[in-house]
Amino acid sequence: MATIDLSPLYRSSIGFDRMARLLDSAMRADGNAAGGYPPYNIEVIGENRYAITLAVAGFSDDELSIEVENGMLKIQGRKEDENEERQYLHKGIGFRSFERKFNLADHVEVKGAKMENGLLTVGLEKVIPEAMKPRKIEIGKSLNLLEDSAK
């Protein structure tokens, strides 16, 4: 397993702890890739809009759950064991339980989800707070704040 030394970053940066945790979990996940089940796509829909689509054929809406906590999107599928005994000549369709986790960047919100033709699509949007958006500062002749502090 490859390791990354982030100590130079810590010497000159403050508040990047989350990035270090993301890198660490990504490095661990590469070696443990969950078998690629279920397959998924991550798509850019438009500016600041994304969609994650998972192939969940055979799962019903009530067997799937979607949760967001602390910047982590978790999608789970829970399949109950089949009680009826079937005799298969070939069983290639995997109806096994799964859990997929996706790290969300700051200000990315889950806007909704839909299930269509065995595909679960989760809509995401990056919502930038007004305080973080660029704003134009007008230059005026007087600024009371500066005049008050000079006294």
Side-chain angles (χ1 to χ4, degrees):
M1 176 196 277
T3 59
I4 298 173
D5 181 18
L6 297 175
S7 56
L9 176 68
Y10 293 137
R11 281 186 228 128
S12 61
S13 302
I14 298 169
F16 286 91
D17 302 347
R18 183 168 184 249
M19 182 61 73
R21 284 194 306 273
L22 288 173
L23 287 171
D24 187 46
S25 66
M27 296 299 285
R28 273 196 224 121
D30 279 347
N32 188 13
Y37 180 78
Y40 64 93
N41 293 335
I42 301 175
E43 182 180 0
V44 177
I45 302 296
E47 186 176 342
N48 296 325
R49 295 178 51 225
Y50 309 90
I52 299 173
T53 303
L54 288 90
V56 292
F59 285 86
S60 64
D61 292 357
D62 42 330
E63 293 173 322
L64 298 168
S65 72
I66 302 170
E67 297 176 6
V68 178
E69 184 178 357
N70 294 329
M72 176 79 65
L73 169 64
K74 181 169 67 172
I75 303 172
Q76 291 180 307
R78 296 283 174 236
K79 219 33 169 160
E80 299 297 322
D81 293 332
E82 290 183 14
N83 289 337
E84 65 182 78
E85 294 184 24
R86 292 183 176 183
Q87 184 178 10
Y88 292 97
L89 296 176
H90 171 74
K91 187 174 180 183
I93 300 172
F95 292 126
R96 63 184 186 263
S97 297
F98 69 88
E99 177 177 287
R100 280 273 185 201
K101 293 182 180 181
F102 301 92
N103 290 305
L104 302 178
D106 292 337
H107 313 296
V108 172
E109 299 176 3
V110 176
K111 292 299 186 177
K114 72 174 185 174
M115 178 87 131
E116 188 175 352
N117 298 326
L119 297 174
L120 174 67
T121 302
V122 179
L124 306 158
E125 184 174 4
K126 185 170 187 174
V127 180
I128 301 170
E130 286 298 319
M132 296 184 71
K133 291 181 180 176
R135 60 187 176 108
K136 186 169 176 83
I137 308 299
E138 296 294 327
I139 301 173
K141 296 198 183 237
S142 173
L143 183 61
N144 292 337
L145 178 66
L146 294 178
E147 291 170 1
D148 291 343
S149 65
K151 292 180 183 180

